């Protein structure tokens, strides 16, 4: 049976309408944005988040900037730089700008933003089909953060693999790392999977070693914010230790991502910019002080998993396996 997935953003009455993900799972509030500055704010505060979804939001932000074509060109750099790690954002802004028609700035950008959105969901569904083939008919999958429908135009990358497997009749039980500090796993992945009727168990991030070591996981599947040309993968902070643990315990570690997440201009993970977040997200999470005032805080939003720890990257046109420069170059050439 097809799964009824949530789509976190839509274009309606000349506005970008977003599901405010900072409020989940307690409240489902849709917000209406009518200017590019509000979209930048929504991206930076994670009302909309996940690499492909912020790409779509960035493309719609350009539409909102479109009085004249010059207005658009002026607004584009700030939109593209709203968050630095997910390459999909800069990619989508670049792609929309390439479609900008000076004679009809708004119309040309809106058509391209819709295309980016539709292609993203189609890519996720294709990723799902390729990835589902990697899962046994009864499987227990561990995931980190939220690389689901909420993080894309719809369907998701890592969770897309799970949805496709379930749609094919496989039995899948999911373990979701809660994903400190902002709890995208507990708040969003659990919400999304529960809504889809999929068995989900939330655990503290630090429980992953015990779970993997006791043979309770058949595969780890995560998303990505940027994949370097050599196959190194940036994803939510805490992904790298998971990959180390998975290798230690012989559990396959898969990354699911569209090719728009691959950055051919980034030779390796060392060049991927890592976003630093506010200290308050770590020590005042959700309004409660959890460390003494004045404590120094290390708050990277992402880490980099070296290619050698990734068993396969699942893209919309098939698998990158073994993960490395040659295979990445091959997958990028497929039409
Ligand atoms: O900070 P976030 O919530 O935007 O981080 C999201 C992730 O790390 C996702 O795994 C990644 O963007 C892939 S989403 C399909």
């Amino acid at each position: 049976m097809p799964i009824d997935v949530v789509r976190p953003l839509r274009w309606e009455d000349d506005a970008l309408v977003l599901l405010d993900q900072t409020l989940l799972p307690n409240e489902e509030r849709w917000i209406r944005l009518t200017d590019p500055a509000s979209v930048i704010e929504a991206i930076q505060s994670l009302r909309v988040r996940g690499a492909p979804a912020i790409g779509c939001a960035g493309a719609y932000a350009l539409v909102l900037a479109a009085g004249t074509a010059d207005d658009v060109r002026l607004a584009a750099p700030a939109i593209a730089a709203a968050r630095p790690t997910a390459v999909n954002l800069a990619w989508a802004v670049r792609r929309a700008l390439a479609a900008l028609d000076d004679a009809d700035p708004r119309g040309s950008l809106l058509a391209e933003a819709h295309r980016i959105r539709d292609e993203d969901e189609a890519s996720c569904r294709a990723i799902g089909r390729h990835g589902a083939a990697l899962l046994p008919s009864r499987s227990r999958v561990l995931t980190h953060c939220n690389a689901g429908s909420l993080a894309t135009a719809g369907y998701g990358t890592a969770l897309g693999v799970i949805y496709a497997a379930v749609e094919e009749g496989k039995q899948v039980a999911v373990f979701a790392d809660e994903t400190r500090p902002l709890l995208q796993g507990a708040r969003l992945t659990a919400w999304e999977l529960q809504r889809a009727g999929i068995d989900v168990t939330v655990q503290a991030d630090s429980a992953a070693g015990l779970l993997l070591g006791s043979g309770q996981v058949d595969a780890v599947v995560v998303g990505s914010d940027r994949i370097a040309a050599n196959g190194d993968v940036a994803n939510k902070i805490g992904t790298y230790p998971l990959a180390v643990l998975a290798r230690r315990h012989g559990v396959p570690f898969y990354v699911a991502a569209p090719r728009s997440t691959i950055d051919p201009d980034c030779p390796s993970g060392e060049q991927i910019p890592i976003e630093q977040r506010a200290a308050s997200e770590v020590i005042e999470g959700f309004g409660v002080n959890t460390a003494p005032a004045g404590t120094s805080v290390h708050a990277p939003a992402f880490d980099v998993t070296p290619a050698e720890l990734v068993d396969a990257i699942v893209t919309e046109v098939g698998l990158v396996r073994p993960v490395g420069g040659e295979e990445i170059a091959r997958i990028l050439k497929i039409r």
Side-chain angles (χ1 to χ4, degrees), residues 54-285:
I54 65 175
C56 295
Y60 285 114
L62 284 183
V63 181
L64 295 172
T68 67
D70 282 345
D71 295 338
V72 175
R73 291 189 188 98
L74 213 65
I79 297 168
R83 290 190 78 190
T85 304
V87 75
N88 305 61
L89 176 57
W91 169 87
V93 168
R94 226 177 19 249
R95 182 171 150 176
L97 281 179
L100 173 63
D101 176 354
D102 285 40
D104 179 15
R106 206 173 166 93
S108 56
L109 288 170
L110 187 58
E112 189 66 6
H114 287 336
R115 268 193 293 273
I116 290 171
R117 177 201 61 192
D118 294 346
E119 283 175 24
D120 183 58
E121 181 166 341
S123 292
C124 286
R125 289 180 184 274
I127 287 168
R129 286 190 294 275
H130 291 296
L134 297 168
L135 299 183
S137 56
R138 287 170 70 93
S139 32
R140 298 151 307 170
V141 174
L142 173 59
T143 191
H144 192 73
C145 194
N146 173 269
S149 199
L150 287 170
T152 60
Y155 206 74
T157 56
L159 298 192
V161 169
I162 288 156
Y163 293 144
V166 169
E167 285 176 334
E168 286 171 16
K170 294 184 176 180
Q171 276 186 36
V172 187
V174 180
F175 290 99
D177 276 353
E178 64 177 351
T179 316
R180 282 276 298 147
L182 294 179
L183 307 186
Q184 287 93 330
R187 294 189 304 106
L188 308 178
T189 295
W191 179 83
E192 182 180 327
L193 290 176
Q194 232 177 45
R195 189 180 171 280
I198 293 173
D199 179 349
V200 56
T201 303
V202 171
Q203 66 170 1
D205 301 346
S206 47
L210 181 71
L211 191 80
L212 286 158
S214 55
Q216 296 183 68
V217 177
D218 301 299
V220 178
V221 186
V222 298
S224 172
D225 286 82
R226 192 186 298 227
I227 299 172
N230 72 343
D232 292 348
V233 171
N235 192 46
K236 179 53 57 192
I237 191 74
T239 300
Y240 167 48
L242 210 54
V244 174
L245 284 167
R247 180 59 54 88
R248 168 73 177 79
H249 296 293
V251 176
F253 182 89
Y254 301 125
V255 173
R259 291 184 297 172
S260 52
T261 299
I262 300 175
D263 182 358
D265 298 328
C266 207
S268 78
E270 273 177 48
Q271 291 80 33
I272 298 178
I274 299 295
E275 178 183 5
Q276 300 293 319
R277 300 286 301 179
S280 57
E281 291 184 354
V282 177
I283 60 165
E284 290 165 34

